[in-house]
Amino acid sequence: MDIQAIIDQIVGALREAPEKAQEIIADPAAAIENITGHQIEGEDMAAVVQGVLAKIGEEGGELQEKLACFGDMLGEKVSSLMGEGGAFGDLLNNIFGKKDE
């Protein structure tokens, strides 16, 4: 399983249909399996989610704007699934968080 290929596939799916983010929020493992055909768990799930978020952050623009409202919800969902406290939420806040002006 090539994690980078999976990341690219998920980002491509989100570019085509940003509403798929809602599916990922509802059930990340099932949505990623539905998009890629790969069952992802544990550390691989964390690597995929971090990679997707990083790629969206790098690309910025329209995709980042469309997904900004889903960022915090996805981070909370994945954090609860992974049992990690706040790491994904912090990452998402860095990528999607509103800048104080």
Side-chain angles (χ1 to χ4, degrees):
M1 165 176 36
D2 180 1
I3 296 293
Q4 188 58 49
I6 291 171
I7 291 167
D8 293 341
Q9 194 173 2
I10 294 167
V11 171
L14 290 172
R15 264 191 227 110
E16 292 177 18
E19 65 275 6
K20 285 191 181 283
Q22 291 175 328
E23 295 172 22
I24 294 173
I25 291 165
D27 188 349
I32 290 171
E33 184 175 359
N34 186 36
I35 291 168
T36 67
H38 294 285
Q39 189 174 20
I40 309 293
E41 297 178 345
E43 290 181 20
D44 287 339
M45 172 69 84
V48 167
V49 171
Q50 288 177 337
V52 167
L53 295 173
K55 188 163 183 117
I56 290 169
E58 288 170 10
E59 291 183 12
E62 187 177 335
L63 182 59
Q64 186 175 3
E65 289 175 23
K66 286 180 181 178
L67 299 179
C69 62
F70 300 119
D72 290 332
M73 291 183 286
L74 178 59
E76 290 170 12
K77 180 72 171 185
V78 173
S79 291
S80 68
L81 289 174
M82 299 297 297
E84 296 177 17
F88 287 109
D90 290 345
L91 176 64
L92 289 165
N93 281 331
N94 288 334
I95 294 171
F96 295 112
K98 296 187 186 319
K99 307 278 189 247
D100 289 335
E101 299 193 27

